[in-house]
Every structure is written in structure tokens, then in C-alpha cells.
Amino acid sequence: MPVLEKIIVSDFRNIAFQELMFSPNINCISGNNGEGKTNLLDAVWYLSMTKSAFSASDRFNFRYGTGEFSISGTYRMENGLDSRFAIKVTTGGEKKLLRDDKPYGRISEHIGTLPIVMVSPADTTLVSESGEERRKFVNSVLSQMDREYLAAVQQYNRLLLQRNRVLKDISVDRGLLSVFDARMKGPADYIYRSRKKFAGDIAPIVSQYYRELSGGCEEVSIAYRSDLDGGDLDAILSSSIDRDTALKYTSCGIHRDDFIFEMGGYPIRRCGSQGQQKSFLVSLKFAQYDIMKHSYGFAPTLLLDDVFDKLDMSRISNLLSMVTGNDFGQIFITDSNKVRMSALVDSLTDDRAYFDCSAGNFERQ
């Protein structure tokens, strides 16, 4: 499995310049809130996914007053050899990605090379916000494991954008719409089948993790909802053409899919406490981790950002026993409470590294 041995970060968020060596096992980053702990984890994420875990636009990732940022990492790959990945982004929007000094033909070719999973406070949007957040999550998981899925999503989104442009015309060309409908069917079918299988695969694993984490207090479930449950996309789009013409956008399709999270038969966002929602989200991400590990044949990198917040000590203890008992790979953990993190991690392993963070600067202890 890829193990991040060294990272060099320059002008990314509040990190001016850092060169850090990591443990192949557990890496603990402590410091007060707002000092940059999460930014370091986001830099690790960026090397894997070529974008921030938190910002849709790169303009929020430049350190104040700078015109570019860069991140590079040396990884020990599954073949036992080292590879260096480097990415540079400028304010003009140019993004360059290299592996061992050779540029990729397309940046999307890199996705899945360095599999990664993150658990963070931002995950609450998966429960509280719209289906778009849940679709992004599923897309992120499946795109790492299946490049055909990533290509299908990209193709569908391009065609959807073009279809919506036609719908905004004063005189809508229905013949042209039918052409787009036919071309969108293929990628939509692939996305639908992939998402349906994923939901079926992950639901029982989430349920099992939640029982372990909560002590069996509640039952949770996941269901997939799609317009394609009612038939093929081209037929659905054809039947909604009058409505789409009036609305000026495409009102049906896999871009409206959703994943329903429930506890005891009720929506988690309405009936779950903060601790229950956090436990569900951790269970969801750990289930993602299991699925990716099975797909790749090795463990992805795991980022745990402020994961102990809103969990009582029994759930924290259960969480850590889950981490150490399921053949996890390289782990990065942040916590503002250094004493708590040290006490918990020291009881698990001697192979760990500690870093103190202050104003974007990191010192290994």
C-alpha cells in the first residue's frame, strides 16, 4: 500500500513552507483550533484527489498574498519502490501534476493511485445538507476505485450542461434534446448501477460499525433513491420534456439521486443527537474504508480530523479499538487535546509520531 514518507508544502492555506517526515503507522498532530492542523491533512488529501477536501475553488487554498502553491510527497508504493508526486497550482487556474517528474496526460488519470479516506467535522453536511453532498461523497469513493465510473460522471455532467443550455433558448430545439437524451443514457445507466451496488454493499457494513461504536444502542440504515428506479433515462427525460422546457433546466436524472440515512426508521438529521450523528458518520467512513481496502487489496491512507469531538469516552474507546483491530494502514489524527490523544495512542502502539502545530508551523516531537 502507498505510505507517505515525506511531504513538502509551500504556500498552501496558512502553511508557508514545511518539510515533514511521517511514521508509516500513526501520525498525531496537536495544536489549538485555527492553527493549521486540518490544513496539513488537507494537503495530504490534495496529493491523492488533486483538490481540497473542503474548498470547491482553489482560490481559497493560496496563502494570503501568494500567487501559487505546491505540494509534493514521497510515497513508498506497494511494489516497495519510492515515487514522488508533485502538484503546483497558480492563481491563473493552471494546475500541473507530475509523478517522478513526468506529467500526467490528464489529471483524472491520477485519481485512485493514492487511495484515501477522511473523517472530519465537515462530514456533518452529509447528514444536514442536500443530496448533492451525498452524491459528491459517493462520487469521491467510486471514482477512486473505478475510472470508468469517473469518466461516466464527467461525460454525463458535460452532456447535462449542454442540455440545460438548449432548454434556456427562447425556441427550444426538441430534436436536439432527444439527441442529448440518447447520449446521456449510457453513462447514466453505468452510474445508476454503480451507485445501487455501492449502497447495497456499504449499508450492512455501516450498520455493523455503528453497533460496535455505539454499543448496539440503535439501528441505522442507508437506502438509494433515483429517478432511474422508474425506468431508463431517455424515457424519463422524454416524458418530462414539457416540464423541463417550462423550468429551463433538466428536472430528472441521476444528478438528482439521493442516499437516505435513517436511524430506527427516521431521518438521522431529525432524530439523531450530535453524538449519534457523529457515530453514524464515522461508521460511514470506516465502511468506505473497508470497501476500498477490499477493492484495492491494501489499506488506504486514513485521515481522522478532530474525530474525538462530540464522542463520549466509551465511543472513543470503541473507535480506537476498531482502528487497531481491523488492519488499518497509515493514519493521521488531529486533536486539540494533546494529553488525551497521547494517552489514547500510546496505549495502542509504539510506532507513532507526534507533531505540534502553531500558526501553520509543525514541529516533530
Side-chain angles (χ1 to χ4, degrees):
M1 62 183 178
V3 172
L4 180 55
E5 299 176 321
K6 182 175 75 171
I7 195 170
I8 300 174
V9 184
S10 177
D11 292 327
F12 182 74
R13 294 181 170 261
N14 76 329
I15 303 173
F17 181 84
Q18 288 288 285
E19 181 174 350
L20 301 169
M21 304 292 293
F22 294 122
S23 163
N25 192 20
I26 298 181
N27 297 274
C28 306
I29 302 103
S30 61
N32 294 328
N33 292 329
E35 297 292 339
K37 303 186 300 298
T38 298
N39 293 341
L40 179 60
L41 263 59
D42 199 23
V44 177
W45 175 271
Y46 207 109
L47 276 174
S48 290
M49 301 301 294
T50 70
K51 61 182 179 181
S52 168
F54 308 105
S55 300
S57 171
D58 273 322
R59 70 178 183 271
F60 300 112
N61 297 321
F62 297 95
R63 191 169 67 88
Y64 182 74
T66 64
E68 66 179 38
F69 69 82
S70 62
I71 308 167
S72 66
T74 301
Y75 286 79
R76 177 61 54 90
M77 304 302 288
E78 53 268 33
N79 60 8
L81 301 177
D82 284 353
S83 274
R84 180 175 178 271
F85 299 86
I87 191 161
K88 179 183 287 187
V89 183
T90 67
T91 51
E94 184 180 15
K95 182 180 294 187
K96 293 183 178 179
L97 175 64
L98 298 91
R99 177 173 183 173
D100 297 325
D101 299 321
K102 296 179 181 178
Y104 282 86
R106 295 193 305 269
I107 288 180
S108 61
E109 295 172 2
H110 173 70
I111 305 303
T113 303
L114 306 173
I116 195 166
V117 175
M118 178 185 283
V119 185
S120 84
D123 294 336
T124 56
T125 60
L126 292 174
V127 170
S128 62
E129 299 298 326
S130 69
E132 180 180 3
E133 295 298 322
R134 292 178 284 279
R135 289 192 299 272
K136 285 180 181 177
F137 162 68
V138 173
N139 286 345
S140 173
V141 179
L142 293 178
S143 294
Q144 291 190 70
M145 298 188 293
D146 183 357
R147 289 184 178 173
E148 188 174 350
Y149 178 87
L150 176 59
V153 170
Q154 292 173 332
Q155 182 182 6
Y156 180 91
N157 287 339
R158 284 195 298 269
L159 292 169
L160 177 65
L161 182 64
Q162 293 172 330
R163 189 180 195 273
N164 285 339
R165 285 174 180 163
V166 174
L167 287 168
K168 288 179 172 60
D169 290 342
I170 296 175
S171 179
V172 175
D173 186 338
R174 295 199 171 198
L176 184 55
L177 285 182
S178 67
V179 172
F180 283 121
D181 296 352
R183 292 178 63 190
M184 292 168 71
K185 179 182 181 301
D189 286 347
Y190 191 88
I191 294 166
Y192 174 71
R193 291 194 304 270
S194 299
R195 288 177 176 174
K196 190 170 186 176
K197 182 179 186 304
F198 175 76
D201 289 344
I202 202 171
I205 308 174
V206 172
S207 182
Q208 178 60 33
Y209 269 124
Y210 190 88
R211 282 193 294 269
E212 294 178 17
L213 190 56
S214 67
C217 296
E218 308 94 14
E219 285 293 327
V220 297
S221 64
I222 296 176
Y224 173 46
R225 298 286 183 269
S226 175
D227 290 334
L228 269 67
D229 292 335
D232 290 340
L233 179 68
D234 52 349
I236 293 170
L237 292 177
S238 178
S239 65
S240 66
I241 192 168
D242 290 336
R243 180 175 58 182
D244 290 355
T245 301
L247 293 173
K248 302 295 184 182
Y249 65 83
T250 305
S251 61
C252 300
I254 54 96
H255 58 286
R256 293 174 56 85
D257 285 359
D258 204 352
F259 297 82
I260 313 303
F261 300 155
E262 293 186 333
M263 176 183 296
Y266 296 95
I268 289 178
R269 65 179 176 183
R270 293 180 182 171
C271 70
S273 67
Q274 286 187 325
Q276 289 171 327
Q277 291 184 15
K278 182 69 173 279
S279 295
F280 173 82
L281 291 167
V282 170
S283 300
L284 178 68
K285 292 302 188 75
F286 278 21
Q288 170 197 349
Y289 190 96
D290 272 10
I291 287 176
M292 290 177 64
K293 182 170 65 175
H294 181 265
S295 174
Y296 281 97
F298 56 80
T301 300
L302 179 63
L303 310 180
L304 301 176
D305 185 25
D306 202 19
V307 74
F308 303 134
D309 183 48
K310 296 184 176 64
L311 294 180
D312 57 42
M313 286 307 296
S314 65
R315 295 194 185 214
I316 290 173
S317 177
N318 290 341
L319 186 154
L320 289 173
S321 65
M322 288 157 54
V323 169
T324 56
N326 285 275
D327 190 29
F328 280 75
Q330 190 177 30
I331 300 173
F332 294 80
I333 305 176
T334 70
D335 194 2
S336 58
N337 189 330
K338 182 179 180 180
V339 175
R340 173 177 61 183
M341 181 165 58
S342 299
L344 293 167
V345 173
D346 287 351
S347 66
L348 300 174
T349 180
D350 293 329
D351 188 1
R352 73 277 194 235
Y354 287 100
F355 300 85
D356 282 344
C357 172
S358 176
N361 295 303
F362 299 82
E363 289 189 11
R364 184 165 178 168
Q365 301 303 299

